[in-house]
Amino acid sequence: MRLIKIDKDENIKCNKEIKNYLDPDYIYVPIEDDANILVRNHDEINLDTILWKKENKEILSSVSGKIVGLKNMYVNEKLKKCIIIENNYREDGVIKKSKRKIDSITKEDFIHIINKYTNISEDFNSNNLIVSAIDYEIYEMVLSKLTSNYADEILDTIDAIIKILDIKKCLLVIKDNDSDNVISLLNLIGTYPNINLKLMPDLYPIGNKSILTRELVGKEKTIFLDVSDILNILNILRKGKPLNYKYITISGNKLNKTVVLKVKLGTSIQEIIDNTFKITDDDYHLVVNGLLSGYELNSLDTIITEEIRSIFITNVITDKETKCLNCGLCVKHCPVGANPRTGYKMDKCIKCGLCRYVCPANRRWVNE
Amino acid sequence: MNKYIDSKLTIKKINITNLLALLPLLISGFYKNGIKLYALGLVNILGLFKPLIFDVLGLFLGILVPFIVDNFIKHKKRKFLSYLTMSHYPFYGLILASIISINTPIHIFLLVLFICSLLSLILKKSNVNIVCLMALLIILIMNLKGSFSFLNIYESTNNFHLTPLDYFIGKGSGGINTTNIILLLISIIILFSQDYYKKEIPLYAFITYLTLILGYGLFRNDIILILDSLFSNSILFSYVFIASDMQTSPYTKLGKIIYAILIGIITFILYMYYPELAGIGAILIGSLCAKTIDKIVER
C-alpha cells in the first residue's frame, strides 16, 4: 500500500460538534436539461411537492414556500439554472406516513426506488457489499459522526439490504483509530452475523471508493455505499422519499472550531457562511470537498448538493514552486501508480492530490 | 492552482538531513587524516586542518556558486546563506571534499569544484552526476601529475595487514571522509529512514557488487581481495551518498532497481582495471542512463 498518513494542521480544532441549519431563507433546486418542470413562478408549494420530473427521476421540494423565480447558481462547479423557493418556515404538507418494514421489499422495487430518488449508480447485481464509514479527506468527520449517532439504524438497514439483494459478503469498514465507533460497533455487530466489521488504517486516500474496494476485494464486482447512502436508503424504504438534508463538515484554520452541519439540500453557501459560523480572518479561501482533493469556490452562489461533503475556510500555502527535484515521491505515493510529471497512467488519476501534498518542491501537479 | 495543505518535507529539510547524515563521517575523516597524522608528527598545523579545510571550502563554494549564478547571471536576489539549505550544491561540495584523496592539492579541488558547479548551473545538465564528474576530473589531473593515491602519509609509509574489523573502523584506503564503515552505517540508518531517500539504489547496487565480488574472490580464493574490494576506494560511500542523488537517478521503483544493478555491474568491471575510479565511474555512466531507464520502465 502506498497510502500515507497526512500531517495534521495544529490550528484546526476538531471538536465534532453537530449544528443544524434547516431553515434557510431560500432553497435553490437545479433543473436538469429536458426536465419536465411541474411548478410555475409565484406558486405556493408544500414540502415534498414534485418540482420536476425526468424519465424515472423526481425532484421534491425540501421546504414549503413560494416559487420566486429562476437563478443561475453554481452546482458542483458548473453554472446551472435553479428554481428559487422562498421558505415560509412552516413545513406545510408534512404527511406522517406509517413506517414500512424495510426488508419486505423486492430486489426490483429496491433498484427502481433507489434509481428514482438517489444518484447512487451501483450495479446491484453484485454479491459483495462494502459500506464505508471512512471519511474521504482529513478533518472530514460526517461519516464517522453518523456512524456513532445512528449505528443501530445503519446496521439494521445494511442487514435488510443484504436480504433484499441476496448479498453473500458484506463489510462495514471503519478507521482503526476511530475508537468510539470501533467499541460501539464491536458491541452491536454480534447480532448481525451477515455483517463483517473491517478496520482500516488511517491513511490517505483510504476513503476513496476505488482504493478501498481494491484493498478489500481486489477486482471483484462490489456494491460500494457509505453510511450516509445507507441512511438515505433507510428513509426512502421507510417513508418513500429521500432525505432532503445533508451533513457536511465545516472546518479550516480560519474558523475557531470544526462543526458538522446538518443543512437542507439546495441551501446557498453564501447563506450558510452569513448565518452559521464566525470566520477569524478576512483573508480566506473557500475550499469544497477537502484540502487535498477539493476545489476552490469561484462564487458564493454555490448550492449544497449530494456531492458536497465539506467546506473548508482556510488560507493558501504561499511557498513558491521550485524546479522538480526528481525525488519521485509523487510517483512513489500515487495510489494508482500514475506519474503526474510525464502523464503516465494519468487516465487512472483519482485526483486525490497526494502528489501535490508530498512534493517538497511545491509543484502543483494535478489539474494544472 | 492553490495548495492548502502541505507535508512537512521541504527542500530545506532534505538538505539538512543529508548534511547531518554526513557529519559523523566528516568528524572521522578529520581524525584519520588530520588529528592522527598531526599527533604522529607526520604533518604540520596546516596538515592537521587539511580535511576540515576541504570540507569548509566545499561547503562555501557550494553556497557561493549558486549565489553568483542567481544574483549576477539570473538576477534573482537571494540571501547568501539561504543557499546553505535551499541548494544541493553545498552538499555536493561536501561530498566531493569527502571522496577525494587527502593528497589532492587544495587549488585543484577549488578550481574543479568552482568551474564544474558553475557550468552545471549555467548549462542545467541535470542528467550528469556532477559530483562523479568532478571527482573523476580530480583523479585524472592527479594521475597526469603522477601523484594519485588514496593513502595518506601514514598509510603510504607503513605496511599493514588489515583485519575485517580494521575496515569497519576506517583503516581501509579511500577518500578523506569515506573509510569508516561503522559511521557509514549510521548515515545509512539516518538516510534509509527518510521517505525521500532512494534506498533501493544503494541496496541493490551493493547486493549486485557484493555478489560479483564474492564470486570472483571465492574463485580466486582471496578473502582479502573481497574485503578490500568492498570496503576501500569509497565504493560504499559513493553508493550511499552519490548514486542516490535525486537529480541524476531514476524515480520509478523498477528504474531505481535497474539503475542500481547496472551500477553494481559497472563498478565490478571498472574495479578490475581502475579500482580507484570504480564507484564514481560506474555512477557517472549510470547517471547518463537514468532518464532513459525511467522512460523505458514507464513505456
Side-chain angles (χ1 to χ4, degrees), chain A residues 118-318:
Chain A
T118 72
N119 293 328
I120 298 168
S121 54
E122 295 293 311
D123 176 7
F124 290 107
N125 293 314
S126 172
N127 289 328
N128 298 321
L129 171 65
I130 293 175
V131 179
S132 171
I134 297 178
D135 289 284
Y136 183 34
E137 275 248 14
I138 187 169
Y139 307 115
E140 286 181 355
M141 51 184 73
V142 168
L143 300 184
S144 163
K145 198 74 197 162
L146 288 178
T147 309
S148 60
N149 282 9
Y150 302 103
D152 286 319
E153 288 91 333
I154 289 167
L155 289 167
D156 278 342
T157 312
I158 297 171
D159 205 39
I161 294 171
I162 291 170
K163 283 171 191 157
I164 294 166
L165 297 177
D166 194 22
I167 299 288
K168 299 281 182 283
K169 182 182 173 188
C170 172
L171 298 170
L172 173 58
V173 197
I174 56 172
K175 278 184 188 169
D176 57 6
N177 63 355
D178 190 356
S179 48
D180 293 348
N181 282 329
V182 172
I183 294 165
S184 71
L185 288 172
L186 280 173
N187 286 330
L188 294 168
I189 205 95
T191 46
Y192 300 91
N194 297 325
I195 306 171
N196 298 303
L197 190 64
K198 180 81 182 167
L199 306 184
M200 295 301 282
D202 184 12
L203 299 173
Y204 183 77
I206 197 74
N208 178 278
K209 177 184 168 179
S210 57
I211 303 299
L212 192 54
T213 309
R214 184 188 73 192
E215 295 299 328
L216 293 171
V217 293
K219 287 182 178 173
E220 268 185 77
K221 257 174 76 176
T222 305
I223 304 164
F224 185 94
L225 302 170
D226 66 37
V227 291
S228 67
D229 293 329
I230 296 292
L231 290 173
N232 200 12
I233 290 171
L234 173 67
N235 206 61
I236 293 167
L237 296 181
R238 270 189 181 164
K239 299 179 182 173
K241 61 174 189 177
L243 294 174
N244 58 19
Y245 56 84
K246 179 157 179 65
Y247 291 90
I248 55 171
T249 306
I250 311 274
S251 184
N253 55 18
K254 299 285 181 181
L255 284 181
N256 49 10
K257 59 187 171 186
T258 292
V259 294
V260 171
L261 193 71
K262 188 178 177 184
V263 60
K264 283 265 166 86
L265 290 167
T267 309
S268 87
I269 288 181
Q270 173 82 70
E271 194 177 327
I272 295 172
I273 288 177
D274 290 345
N275 297 316
T276 56
F277 44 81
K278 278 183 188 167
I279 299 170
T280 55
D281 192 343
D282 289 338
D283 180 23
Y284 64 84
H285 294 251
L286 280 165
V287 183
V288 168
N289 285 352
L291 297 172
L292 281 139
S293 62
Y295 57 90
E296 192 163 332
L297 282 185
N298 298 322
S299 159
L300 289 174
D301 281 346
T302 300
I303 61 166
I304 299 295
T305 60
E306 283 285 357
E307 286 73 22
I308 291 183
R309 306 184 309 263
S310 57
I311 301 171
F312 288 85
I313 293 94
T314 185
N315 60 342
V316 168
I317 288 169
T318 51

Side-chain angles (χ1 to χ4, degrees), chain A residues 33-171:
Chain A
D33 294 339
D34 305 325
N36 180 18
I37 301 169
L38 304 173
V39 289
R40 280 188 291 182
N41 207 7
H42 308 300
D43 277 2
E44 294 282 346
I45 58 164
N46 289 334
L47 185 75
D48 296 336
T49 299
I50 301 171
L51 299 171
W52 57 259
K53 271 186 177 180
K54 187 183 172 185
E55 294 159 7
N56 181 31
K57 200 170 180 180
E58 283 179 356
I59 294 297
L60 313 178
S61 168
S62 57
V63 292
S64 63
K66 188 178 175 184
I67 308 286
V68 291
L70 295 171
K71 188 180 179 187
N72 281 328
M73 297 288 282
Y74 280 95
V75 182
N76 304 327
E77 288 191 278
K78 285 179 187 153
L79 210 52
K80 272 193 175 179
K81 201 160 267 182
C82 295
I83 299 169
I84 312 169
I85 306 167
E86 189 179 30
N87 190 2
N88 63 12
Y89 313 105
R90 294 202 301 260
E91 305 271 299
D92 293 333
V94 176
I95 301 163
K96 290 203 171 173
K97 289 183 183 174
S98 58
K99 289 178 182 177
R100 288 192 289 188
K101 273 195 84 178
I102 58 172
D103 51 1
S104 59
I105 192 167
T106 63
K107 184 174 177 176
E108 288 70 30
D109 287 346
F110 176 86
I111 295 171
H112 174 78
I113 203 167
I114 296 302
N115 288 337
K116 186 174 179 180
Y117 289 119
T118 72
N119 293 328
I120 298 168
S121 54
E122 295 293 311
D123 176 7
F124 290 107
N125 293 314
S126 172
N127 289 328
N128 298 321
L129 171 65
I130 293 175
V131 179
S132 171
I134 297 178
D135 289 284
Y136 183 34
E137 275 248 14
I138 187 169
Y139 307 115
E140 286 181 355
M141 51 184 73
V142 168
L143 300 184
S144 163
K145 198 74 197 162
L146 288 178
T147 309
S148 60
N149 282 9
Y150 302 103
D152 286 319
E153 288 91 333
I154 289 167
L155 289 167
D156 278 342
T157 312
I158 297 171
D159 205 39
I161 294 171
I162 291 170
K163 283 171 191 157
I164 294 166
L165 297 177
D166 194 22
I167 299 288
K168 299 281 182 283
K169 182 182 173 188
C170 172
L171 298 170

Side-chain angles (χ1 to χ4, degrees), chain B residues 47-298:
Chain B
L48 166 66
F49 289 107
K50 197 174 177 188
L52 277 189
I53 292 170
F54 278 121
D55 296 340
V56 171
L57 287 175
L59 198 69
F60 177 73
L61 279 190
I63 300 170
L64 181 69
V65 176
F67 174 78
I68 290 171
V69 171
D70 272 3
N71 284 268
F72 300 106
I73 298 173
K74 294 181 182 170
H75 303 290
K76 284 182 194 168
K77 295 284 171 211
R78 267 195 196 157
K79 284 180 186 168
F80 182 75
L81 276 179
S82 70
Y83 290 92
L84 179 63
T85 52
M86 288 310 294
S87 167
H88 302 301
Y89 281 79
F91 181 64
Y92 290 168
L94 268 182
I95 293 288
L96 185 68
S98 301
I99 205 162
I100 55 169
S101 160
I102 188 70
N103 308 313
T104 309
I106 292 174
H107 66 276
I108 291 180
F109 169 75
L110 281 177
L111 213 64
V112 170
L113 179 58
F114 184 80
I115 293 170
C116 289
S117 303
L118 197 66
L119 287 176
S120 155
L121 279 166
I122 294 170
L123 299 175
K124 294 178 183 171
K125 284 282 175 198
S126 60
N127 57 339
V128 180
N129 191 307
I130 186 74
V131 180
C132 287
L133 188 68
M134 291 189 286
L136 206 68
L137 274 175
I138 289 173
I139 292 175
L140 286 176
I141 293 168
M142 298 275 288
N143 261 323
L144 286 175
K145 288 176 71 183
S147 59
F148 182 77
S149 168
F150 271 131
L151 302 177
N152 65 29
I153 191 164
Y154 173 66
E155 291 163 336
S156 57
T157 52
N158 289 280
N159 282 326
F160 300 100
H161 293 288
L162 297 178
T163 63
L165 183 69
D166 288 335
Y167 286 101
F168 280 87
I169 57 172
K171 288 189 177 175
S173 69
I176 299 173
N177 305 320
T178 65
T179 51
N180 195 314
I181 304 301
I182 292 176
L183 293 178
L184 187 61
L185 285 173
I186 294 173
S187 304
I188 290 172
I189 292 168
I190 295 170
L191 292 171
F192 271 47
S193 65
Q194 304 302 313
D195 197 25
Y196 68 83
Y197 184 71
K198 297 174 177 176
K199 46 185 90 63
E200 296 90 345
I201 293 173
L203 196 66
Y204 283 92
F206 180 68
I207 291 170
T208 308
Y209 180 62
L210 175 72
T211 311
L212 294 170
I213 282 292
L214 266 179
Y216 181 70
L218 292 174
F219 175 72
R220 300 255 317 247
N221 202 16
D222 191 345
I223 299 297
I224 295 299
L225 172 87
I226 295 172
L227 287 171
D228 209 50
S229 311
L230 289 176
F231 301 126
S232 61
N233 295 307
S234 314
I235 289 172
L236 276 187
F237 179 90
S238 308
Y239 284 171
V240 174
F241 284 101
I242 308 176
S244 58
D245 172 49
M246 283 180 190
Q247 293 284 351
T248 55
S249 59
Y251 55 82
T252 56
K253 189 168 184 182
L254 184 61
K256 284 184 265 189
I257 295 170
I258 294 169
Y259 167 80
I261 292 170
L262 182 72
I263 286 176
I265 294 168
I266 300 172
T267 309
F268 175 74
I269 296 166
L270 286 178
Y271 192 83
M272 296 295 121
Y273 303 99
Y274 311 103
E276 62 275 9
L277 298 181
I280 51 169
I283 296 166
L284 185 64
I285 296 167
S287 71
L288 295 171
C289 310
K291 287 201 167 123
T292 314
I293 293 171
D294 272 337
K295 275 184 191 165
I296 292 168
V297 167
E298 286 198 341

Side-chain angles (χ1 to χ4, degrees), chain A residues 7 287 296 317 322 324-329 332-333 339 341-342 344 356-357 360 362 364 366-367, chain B residues 1-11 14 88 126 195-196 198-199 246-249 251 298:
Chain A
D7 298 324
V287 183
E296 192 163 332
I317 288 169
T322 54
C324 174
L325 303 176
N326 198 46
C327 64
L329 285 174
K332 183 178 173 182
H333 289 296
N339 183 351
R341 300 172 62 201
T342 60
Y344 173 70
R356 255 180 300 163
Y357 172 76
N362 282 309
R364 273 71 163 161
V366 181
N367 299 338
Chain B
M1 182 167 197
N2 285 329
K3 196 171 178 181
Y4 313 99
I5 187 167
D6 212 352
S7 71
K8 285 173 184 160
L9 184 67
T10 57
I11 296 172
I14 290 172
H88 302 301
S126 60
D195 197 25
Y196 68 83
K198 297 174 177 176
K199 46 185 90 63
M246 283 180 190
Q247 293 284 351
T248 55
S249 59
Y251 55 82
E298 286 198 341

